[in-house]
Amino acid sequence: MTCRNEERHTVARPTIEDIARRVGVSKGAVSFALNGRPGVSEATRARILKAAEEMNWRPHTAARALGGARAGAVGLVIARPARTLGVEPFFAQLLSGLQAGLSAQSVALELLVVEDTEAEIEVYRRWASEHRVDGFIMVDLQVKDPRVEIVESLDVPAVVLGGPGRHGSLPSVWADDREAMLSIVDYLAALGHRRIAHVAGLPAFQHTQRRMRALRDSARRLGLADVVSLPTDFSDAEGATTTRMLLSRPGRPTAIVYDSDLMAVAGLGVAAEMGVAVPGELSIVAFDDSVLTRIVHPALTALSRDTFALGTEVAEVLLGIIGDPGLRRDHRTPTPRLVVRESTGAPPLAG
Amino acid sequence: MTCRNEERHTVARPTIEDIARRVGVSKGAVSFALNGRPGVSEATRARILKAAEEMNWRPHTAARALGGARAGAVGLVIARPARTLGVEPFFAQLLSGLQAGLSAQSVALELLVVEDTEAEIEVYRRWASEHRVDGFIMVDLQVKDPRVEIVESLDVPAVVLGGPGRHGSLPSVWADDREAMLSIVDYLAALGHRRIAHVAGLPAFQHTQRRMRALRDSARRLGLADVVSLPTDFSDAEGATTTRMLLSRPGRPTAIVYDSDLMAVAGLGVAAEMGVAVPGELSIVAFDDSVLTRIVHPALTALSRDTFALGTEVAEVLLGIIGDPGLRRDHRTPTPRLVVRESTGAPPLAG
DNA sequence: CCCGTTCACTAGAGCGGTTTAGTAACCGGT
DNA sequence: ACCGGTTACTAAACCGCTCTAGTGAACGGG
């Protein structure tokens, strides 16, 4: 007598063995049927699927993983102080996109925030050796990145978000930061700006370096003498102090480009506090777009990219190489587009 | 041809059997030793631990979970449109706290963002039946919450963030929203405000209801006639339109309380756009604190709570009931404290 | 000296899947 | 009628770990 009544006794989860017994076939046949692989007739397959459905069967992931199969999850480890992460709309958007891409194959995302790269590497080691995940997503590619070699040696599929270049044999998904920075500078120069400052991110990050180089090259090409990049740690605090410093020195810039939307908003706050009119006396551009740039007043001109789509693409690439480790290749995503809002305009005449 | 044994020759992960062979004992003995349970002498235990260490052994989580043991992960499912989540500093902070608490017992956090409650419930069902997690964390408690009954029936440990009340037999971690709202109204009334508006969140959420009720009660007690709560969907867009509506009608409020920091910032933007001085003509209070409230100008007066600590506490409570399902009890956290910054002041004289 | 206990440890049965080797039936071609 | 090949299925090994039942030795009490 099966105790199907849901009084209080939760019915034990059915296994493929239960299904096999009920349908009158072997465990193996059930496994074939449920996984859509040859070895059973269509008639039997249908009966098995029907029984599985009726009994509300679900695979036991641990059992699957044990057989050497997939873990059904991929890992994302982020090495940033929790506070910084807290307000980066970028990551949240990326996360959503990743999950959208992963859930198509009902793969879960295992997320961990750690303090530094060392801890991050330790997590890669642990998760790989525990078979907890089928692959990794690596973000914040560094200039000389110790993670690349280690993840390669772990022999676990992985995708790097960022590049191009310097990520070893790992495939990457990247957007052209250089091209994007050039478009910003061209736009500002066309408005008449000649003193442009760049409040950059962590100099250890590859994309920071690439943006700084692009700005320098661009300045040379356009003959702008007074152009400077100042590194920060991406925090609102450093974004604010750097802005304050820039605005209080003589011959202050007429335009500032921020490497993140958060720092741009912080910079806008400083300008308001110091009584510097935006965009009258100062133009502000954010190198990243999100709700943040739109809710402040004036709304910020920003480099907009579809972070959600970026996440989806990363997920797809990773699932691809998990399925077939052969197809490692880099994927270039559309170059971010500059969305002009209210924070940019011609420089003051005196400038 | 498997590319498993190439020149690099990744050493196969050692199993307890390998350790057993090397030390010259049985698998069982190794298991006992590694899990710190009786059944082996101290001398043997030491030898086994040493060998495990030398061989760099790590438990295979799937194998453990299969034996009916823990999955080593807990689940957090958030049902909000991805875009909204993107900028809620609250969740990011909470996440960090959760992970800090969980990593103490090296439990992972499985995170999933879904579109609606129905999908959320489906995920609970699936994860529970797949033994993917050992417990759940439920956020955004609703007024009549269908999730409570279902999670109870799944017979999986779970903690509710929010309350008190209406979460069935599930333990909850909660802060006193009512008390907090009273403190805000008292503060504003003391400044002289009599027309106070409340841009609330989703009315389906219990905390929204509790705040609205607190405001109403408080208004009656203080004899304020012109007090109103307007529900929104928590998005910056509705926060902005609601603000615009409030500010453009005759007898507009002299103070607005926003249910989230994001909406407060959006409201501040609208005020700036409409030329309403803050705090000269309008005081703004955010019912949640984060970097956002500090980077804008003027910085916003906000209700500050330690979201990180909240996350840690939730994690601890959940791990507690996973370990011992007996100790279900509610945990009250400190009432949020009002941090006065630059966005509040006395109402205009005419008001 | 014998019996009962405790101790340290072994053997092996699961856990729920996947996968391989094996088998019996059937089919078409000569 | 015979052969080779395919199809549909079964039985059982296997993944790595946990945990129970069992074993032999040492020990202590009567």
mmCIF file of all heavy atoms in Angstrom, chain A residues 238-276:
data_model
loop_
_atom_site.group_PDB
_atom_site.id
_atom_site.type_symbol
_atom_site.label_atom_id
_atom_site.label_comp_id
_atom_site.label_asym_id
_atom_site.label_seq_id
_atom_site.Cartn_x
_atom_site.Cartn_y
_atom_site.Cartn_z
ATOM 1 N N GLU A 238 36.887 56.919 -3.405
ATOM 2 C CA GLU A 238 38.038 57.387 -4.186
ATOM 3 C C GLU A 238 37.584 58.180 -5.408
ATOM 4 O O GLU A 238 38.263 59.120 -5.835
ATOM 5 C CB GLU A 238 38.920 56.210 -4.594
ATOM 6 C CG GLU A 238 39.637 55.587 -3.405
ATOM 7 C CD GLU A 238 40.949 54.908 -3.792
ATOM 8 O OE1 GLU A 238 41.322 54.939 -4.969
ATOM 9 O OE2 GLU A 238 41.589 54.353 -2.880
ATOM 10 N N GLY A 239 36.439 57.776 -5.954
ATOM 11 C CA GLY A 239 35.900 58.547 -7.069
ATOM 12 C C GLY A 239 35.641 59.980 -6.648
ATOM 13 O O GLY A 239 35.942 60.940 -7.374
ATOM 14 N N ALA A 240 35.110 60.132 -5.435
ATOM 15 C CA ALA A 240 34.786 61.469 -4.938
ATOM 16 C C ALA A 240 36.044 62.277 -4.630
ATOM 17 O O ALA A 240 36.176 63.430 -5.061
ATOM 18 C CB ALA A 240 33.924 61.356 -3.676
ATOM 19 N N THR A 241 36.989 61.667 -3.914
ATOM 20 C CA THR A 241 38.186 62.438 -3.544
ATOM 21 C C THR A 241 38.999 62.822 -4.778
ATOM 22 O O THR A 241 39.522 63.927 -4.864
ATOM 23 C CB THR A 241 39.092 61.658 -2.568
ATOM 24 O OG1 THR A 241 39.371 60.378 -3.127
ATOM 25 C CG2 THR A 241 38.425 61.479 -1.225
ATOM 26 N N THR A 242 39.065 61.889 -5.735
ATOM 27 C CA THR A 242 39.805 62.209 -6.957
ATOM 28 C C THR A 242 39.143 63.373 -7.687
ATOM 29 O O THR A 242 39.820 64.286 -8.189
ATOM 30 C CB THR A 242 39.858 60.973 -7.887
ATOM 31 O OG1 THR A 242 40.391 59.867 -7.165
ATOM 32 C CG2 THR A 242 40.712 61.250 -9.104
ATOM 33 N N THR A 243 37.821 63.360 -7.722
ATOM 34 C CA THR A 243 37.105 64.461 -8.367
ATOM 35 C C THR A 243 37.378 65.784 -7.657
ATOM 36 O O THR A 243 37.654 66.807 -8.287
ATOM 37 C CB THR A 243 35.586 64.184 -8.339
ATOM 38 O OG1 THR A 243 35.342 62.911 -8.925
ATOM 39 C CG2 THR A 243 34.824 65.254 -9.098
ATOM 40 N N ARG A 244 37.318 65.724 -6.338
ATOM 41 C CA ARG A 244 37.543 66.939 -5.548
ATOM 42 C C ARG A 244 38.929 67.494 -5.851
ATOM 43 O O ARG A 244 39.107 68.705 -6.044
ATOM 44 C CB ARG A 244 37.392 66.612 -4.061
ATOM 45 C CG ARG A 244 37.223 67.837 -3.185
ATOM 46 C CD ARG A 244 36.772 67.467 -1.775
ATOM 47 N NE ARG A 244 35.398 67.000 -1.710
ATOM 48 C CZ ARG A 244 35.022 65.778 -1.338
ATOM 49 N NH1 ARG A 244 35.943 64.891 -0.979
ATOM 50 N NH2 ARG A 244 33.750 65.440 -1.322
ATOM 51 N N MET A 245 39.883 66.595 -5.916
ATOM 52 C CA MET A 245 41.252 66.998 -6.205
ATOM 53 C C MET A 245 41.341 67.643 -7.593
ATOM 54 O O MET A 245 41.923 68.719 -7.765
ATOM 55 C CB MET A 245 42.125 65.742 -6.116
ATOM 56 C CG MET A 245 43.601 65.981 -6.114
ATOM 57 S SD MET A 245 44.216 65.682 -7.756
ATOM 58 C CE MET A 245 44.182 63.878 -7.751
ATOM 59 N N LEU A 246 40.739 67.010 -8.564
ATOM 60 C CA LEU A 246 40.775 67.517 -9.937
ATOM 61 C C LEU A 246 40.140 68.900 -10.047
ATOM 62 O O LEU A 246 40.650 69.788 -10.732
ATOM 63 C CB LEU A 246 40.037 66.559 -10.869
ATOM 64 C CG LEU A 246 40.799 65.306 -11.329
ATOM 65 C CD1 LEU A 246 39.849 64.326 -12.006
ATOM 66 C CD2 LEU A 246 41.932 65.693 -12.265
ATOM 67 N N LEU A 247 39.015 69.057 -9.358
ATOM 68 C CA LEU A 247 38.253 70.295 -9.515
ATOM 69 C C LEU A 247 38.849 71.464 -8.752
ATOM 70 O O LEU A 247 38.544 72.615 -9.044
ATOM 71 C CB LEU A 247 36.800 70.088 -9.079
ATOM 72 C CG LEU A 247 35.964 69.155 -9.972
ATOM 73 C CD1 LEU A 247 34.528 69.095 -9.501
ATOM 74 C CD2 LEU A 247 36.034 69.608 -11.431
ATOM 75 N N SER A 248 39.676 71.132 -7.755
ATOM 76 C CA SER A 248 40.177 72.250 -6.958
ATOM 77 C C SER A 248 41.539 72.735 -7.432
ATOM 78 O O SER A 248 42.070 73.709 -6.912
ATOM 79 C CB SER A 248 40.226 71.858 -5.471
ATOM 80 O OG SER A 248 40.848 70.616 -5.303
ATOM 81 N N ARG A 249 42.116 72.048 -8.409
ATOM 82 C CA ARG A 249 43.418 72.552 -8.845
ATOM 83 C C ARG A 249 43.252 73.516 -10.035
ATOM 84 O O ARG A 249 42.252 73.447 -10.762
ATOM 85 C CB ARG A 249 44.357 71.400 -9.188
ATOM 86 C CG ARG A 249 44.011 70.600 -10.414
ATOM 87 C CD ARG A 249 44.965 69.394 -10.466
ATOM 88 N NE ARG A 249 44.838 68.633 -11.682
ATOM 89 C CZ ARG A 249 45.439 67.462 -11.864
ATOM 90 N NH1 ARG A 249 46.158 66.928 -10.900
ATOM 91 N NH2 ARG A 249 45.299 66.809 -12.998
ATOM 92 N N PRO A 250 44.221 74.396 -10.199
ATOM 93 C CA PRO A 250 44.112 75.391 -11.272
ATOM 94 C C PRO A 250 44.144 74.698 -12.639
ATOM 95 O O PRO A 250 44.771 73.647 -12.784
ATOM 96 C CB PRO A 250 45.354 76.258 -11.073
ATOM 97 C CG PRO A 250 46.310 75.402 -10.292
ATOM 98 C CD PRO A 250 45.466 74.548 -9.420
ATOM 99 N N GLY A 251 43.485 75.276 -13.584
ATOM 100 C CA GLY A 251 43.419 74.666 -14.914
ATOM 101 C C GLY A 251 42.696 73.349 -14.860
ATOM 102 O O GLY A 251 43.112 72.359 -15.436
ATOM 103 N N ARG A 252 41.608 73.352 -14.091
ATOM 104 C CA ARG A 252 40.889 72.090 -13.900
ATOM 105 C C ARG A 252 40.270 71.610 -15.210
ATOM 106 O O ARG A 252 40.002 72.401 -16.119
ATOM 107 C CB ARG A 252 39.808 72.282 -12.844
ATOM 108 C CG ARG A 252 38.665 73.149 -13.315
ATOM 109 C CD ARG A 252 37.690 73.390 -12.182
ATOM 110 N NE ARG A 252 36.517 74.116 -12.669
ATOM 111 C CZ ARG A 252 35.757 74.860 -11.894
ATOM 112 N NH1 ARG A 252 36.042 74.993 -10.605
ATOM 113 N NH2 ARG A 252 34.710 75.462 -12.391
ATOM 114 N N PRO A 253 40.033 70.314 -15.304
ATOM 115 C CA PRO A 253 39.479 69.746 -16.532
ATOM 116 C C PRO A 253 38.070 70.277 -16.796
ATOM 117 O O PRO A 253 37.353 70.640 -15.863
ATOM 118 C CB PRO A 253 39.448 68.250 -16.252
ATOM 119 C CG PRO A 253 39.481 68.116 -14.768
ATOM 120 C CD PRO A 253 40.272 69.276 -14.277
ATOM 121 N N THR A 254 37.711 70.300 -18.079
ATOM 122 C CA THR A 254 36.351 70.708 -18.432
ATOM 123 C C THR A 254 35.475 69.484 -18.660
ATOM 124 O O THR A 254 34.275 69.600 -18.838
ATOM 125 C CB THR A 254 36.362 71.555 -19.718
ATOM 126 O OG1 THR A 254 36.925 70.774 -20.786
ATOM 127 C CG2 THR A 254 37.194 72.809 -19.523
ATOM 128 N N ALA A 255 36.125 68.339 -18.661
ATOM 129 C CA ALA A 255 35.356 67.101 -18.817
ATOM 130 C C ALA A 255 36.051 65.980 -18.058
ATOM 131 O O ALA A 255 37.281 65.911 -18.030
ATOM 132 C CB ALA A 255 35.232 66.725 -20.290
ATOM 133 N N ILE A 256 35.243 65.139 -17.399
ATOM 134 C CA ILE A 256 35.802 63.981 -16.688
ATOM 135 C C ILE A 256 35.090 62.719 -17.159
ATOM 136 O O ILE A 256 33.865 62.691 -17.256
ATOM 137 C CB ILE A 256 35.647 64.111 -15.155
ATOM 138 C CG1 ILE A 256 36.264 65.429 -14.650
ATOM 139 C CG2 ILE A 256 36.293 62.926 -14.450
ATOM 140 C CD1 ILE A 256 36.220 65.581 -13.132
ATOM 141 N N VAL A 257 35.911 61.722 -17.457
ATOM 142 C CA VAL A 257 35.376 60.413 -17.827
ATOM 143 C C VAL A 257 35.605 59.468 -16.656
ATOM 144 O O VAL A 257 36.730 59.347 -16.177
ATOM 145 C CB VAL A 257 36.098 59.854 -19.075
ATOM 146 C CG1 VAL A 257 35.514 58.491 -19.452
ATOM 147 C CG2 VAL A 257 36.000 60.833 -20.227
ATOM 148 N N TYR A 258 34.529 58.828 -16.178
ATOM 149 C CA TYR A 258 34.645 57.903 -15.047
ATOM 150 C C TYR A 258 34.538 56.464 -15.529
ATOM 151 O O TYR A 258 33.708 56.144 -16.370
ATOM 152 C CB TYR A 258 33.542 58.176 -14.025
ATOM 153 C CG TYR A 258 33.678 59.506 -13.339
ATOM 154 C CD1 TYR A 258 33.146 60.662 -13.903
ATOM 155 C CD2 TYR A 258 34.352 59.606 -12.125
ATOM 156 C CE1 TYR A 258 33.279 61.896 -13.272
ATOM 157 C CE2 TYR A 258 34.495 60.828 -11.487
ATOM 158 C CZ TYR A 258 33.960 61.972 -12.065
ATOM 159 O OH TYR A 258 34.096 63.180 -11.433
ATOM 160 N N ASP A 259 35.353 55.607 -14.928
ATOM 161 C CA ASP A 259 35.367 54.212 -15.367
ATOM 162 C C ASP A 259 34.170 53.401 -14.886
ATOM 163 O O ASP A 259 33.995 52.255 -15.294
ATOM 164 C CB ASP A 259 36.661 53.526 -14.926
ATOM 165 C CG ASP A 259 37.622 53.389 -16.089
ATOM 166 O OD1 ASP A 259 37.332 53.971 -17.144
ATOM 167 O OD2 ASP A 259 38.646 52.704 -15.944
ATOM 168 N N SER A 260 33.387 53.946 -13.979
ATOM 169 C CA SER A 260 32.167 53.240 -13.582
ATOM 170 C C SER A 260 31.067 54.250 -13.339
ATOM 171 O O SER A 260 31.325 55.426 -13.061
ATOM 172 C CB SER A 260 32.382 52.392 -12.335
ATOM 173 O OG SER A 260 32.346 53.195 -11.186
ATOM 174 N N ASP A 261 29.843 53.795 -13.440
ATOM 175 C CA ASP A 261 28.719 54.699 -13.231
ATOM 176 C C ASP A 261 28.652 55.171 -11.786
ATOM 177 O O ASP A 261 28.292 56.303 -11.506
ATOM 178 C CB ASP A 261 27.406 54.029 -13.661
ATOM 179 C CG ASP A 261 27.301 52.610 -13.154
ATOM 180 O OD1 ASP A 261 28.239 52.161 -12.478
ATOM 181 O OD2 ASP A 261 26.290 51.967 -13.436
ATOM 182 N N LEU A 262 29.040 54.280 -10.882
ATOM 183 C CA LEU A 262 28.997 54.648 -9.468
ATOM 184 C C LEU A 262 29.935 55.825 -9.186
ATOM 185 O O LEU A 262 29.558 56.803 -8.530
ATOM 186 C CB LEU A 262 29.396 53.447 -8.609
ATOM 187 C CG LEU A 262 29.357 53.689 -7.117
ATOM 188 C CD1 LEU A 262 27.929 53.906 -6.653
ATOM 189 C CD2 LEU A 262 29.998 52.544 -6.356
ATOM 190 N N MET A 263 31.144 55.738 -9.695
ATOM 191 C CA MET A 263 32.096 56.826 -9.466
ATOM 192 C C MET A 263 31.624 58.100 -10.154
ATOM 193 O O MET A 263 31.812 59.200 -9.633
ATOM 194 C CB MET A 263 33.481 56.430 -9.972
ATOM 195 C CG MET A 263 34.127 55.339 -9.147
ATOM 196 S SD MET A 263 35.921 55.237 -9.371
ATOM 197 C CE MET A 263 36.032 54.785 -11.088
ATOM 198 N N ALA A 264 30.982 57.942 -11.295
ATOM 199 C CA ALA A 264 30.484 59.122 -12.000
ATOM 200 C C ALA A 264 29.430 59.842 -11.158
ATOM 201 O O ALA A 264 29.436 61.064 -11.049
ATOM 202 C CB ALA A 264 29.892 58.722 -13.354
ATOM 203 N N VAL A 265 28.552 59.060 -10.549
ATOM 204 C CA VAL A 265 27.520 59.673 -9.709
ATOM 205 C C VAL A 265 28.172 60.358 -8.506
ATOM 206 O O VAL A 265 27.794 61.463 -8.116
ATOM 207 C CB VAL A 265 26.494 58.618 -9.249
ATOM 208 C CG1 VAL A 265 25.552 59.210 -8.222
ATOM 209 C CG2 VAL A 265 25.715 58.080 -10.444
ATOM 210 N N ALA A 266 29.160 59.695 -7.935
ATOM 211 C CA ALA A 266 29.880 60.298 -6.817
ATOM 212 C C ALA A 266 30.529 61.611 -7.259
ATOM 213 O O ALA A 266 30.506 62.612 -6.538
ATOM 214 C CB ALA A 266 30.933 59.329 -6.286
ATOM 215 N N GLY A 267 31.096 61.590 -8.460
ATOM 216 C CA GLY A 267 31.733 62.793 -8.990
ATOM 217 C C GLY A 267 30.721 63.909 -9.183
ATOM 218 O O GLY A 267 30.986 65.074 -8.861
ATOM 219 N N LEU A 268 29.557 63.549 -9.668
ATOM 220 C CA LEU A 268 28.488 64.540 -9.846
ATOM 221 C C LEU A 268 28.120 65.174 -8.510
ATOM 222 O O LEU A 268 27.916 66.391 -8.410
ATOM 223 C CB LEU A 268 27.263 63.854 -10.465
ATOM 224 C CG LEU A 268 26.042 64.724 -10.690
ATOM 225 C CD1 LEU A 268 26.329 65.787 -11.733
ATOM 226 C CD2 LEU A 268 24.844 63.877 -11.115
ATOM 227 N N GLY A 269 28.071 64.329 -7.476
ATOM 228 C CA GLY A 269 27.767 64.833 -6.143
ATOM 229 C C GLY A 269 28.800 65.845 -5.688
ATOM 230 O O GLY A 269 28.466 66.901 -5.145
ATOM 231 N N VAL A 270 30.061 65.545 -5.942
ATOM 232 C CA VAL A 270 31.138 66.459 -5.551
ATOM 233 C C VAL A 270 31.011 67.785 -6.300
ATOM 234 O O VAL A 270 31.168 68.869 -5.732
ATOM 235 C CB VAL A 270 32.515 65.817 -5.815
ATOM 236 C CG1 VAL A 270 33.622 66.843 -5.648
ATOM 237 C CG2 VAL A 270 32.727 64.634 -4.886
ATOM 238 N N ALA A 271 30.704 67.687 -7.598
ATOM 239 C CA ALA A 271 30.554 68.905 -8.395
ATOM 240 C C ALA A 271 29.437 69.777 -7.812
ATOM 241 O O ALA A 271 29.592 70.991 -7.653
ATOM 242 C CB ALA A 271 30.250 68.546 -9.848
ATOM 243 N N ALA A 272 28.319 69.145 -7.491
ATOM 244 C CA ALA A 272 27.196 69.887 -6.918
ATOM 245 C C ALA A 272 27.618 70.554 -5.621
ATOM 246 O O ALA A 272 27.340 71.727 -5.376
ATOM 247 C CB ALA A 272 26.026 68.931 -6.667
ATOM 248 N N GLU A 273 28.331 69.794 -4.806
ATOM 249 C CA GLU A 273 28.772 70.284 -3.499
ATOM 250 C C GLU A 273 29.724 71.477 -3.653
ATOM 251 O O GLU A 273 29.671 72.436 -2.888
ATOM 252 C CB GLU A 273 29.466 69.115 -2.799
ATOM 253 C CG GLU A 273 30.164 69.417 -1.511
ATOM 254 C CD GLU A 273 31.162 68.292 -1.215
ATOM 255 O OE1 GLU A 273 30.780 67.110 -1.375
ATOM 256 O OE2 GLU A 273 32.306 68.604 -0.860
ATOM 257 N N MET A 274 30.579 71.441 -4.704
ATOM 258 C CA MET A 274 31.552 72.512 -4.901
ATOM 259 C C MET A 274 30.985 73.652 -5.742
ATOM 260 O O MET A 274 31.682 74.617 -6.053
ATOM 261 C CB MET A 274 32.811 71.960 -5.575
ATOM 262 C CG MET A 274 33.554 70.946 -4.716
ATOM 263 S SD MET A 274 34.994 70.233 -5.552
ATOM 264 C CE MET A 274 36.103 71.650 -5.630
ATOM 265 N N GLY A 275 29.728 73.491 -6.138
ATOM 266 C CA GLY A 275 29.109 74.556 -6.915
ATOM 267 C C GLY A 275 29.598 74.635 -8.342
ATOM 268 O O GLY A 275 29.547 75.691 -8.982
ATOM 269 N N VAL A 276 30.074 73.521 -8.856
ATOM 270 C CA VAL A 276 30.502 73.484 -10.254
ATOM 271 C C VAL A 276 29.320 73.015 -11.090
ATOM 272 O O VAL A 276 28.807 71.917 -10.873
ATOM 273 C CB VAL A 276 31.692 72.520 -10.440
ATOM 274 C CG1 VAL A 276 32.065 72.410 -11.914
ATOM 275 C CG2 VAL A 276 32.871 72.970 -9.599
#
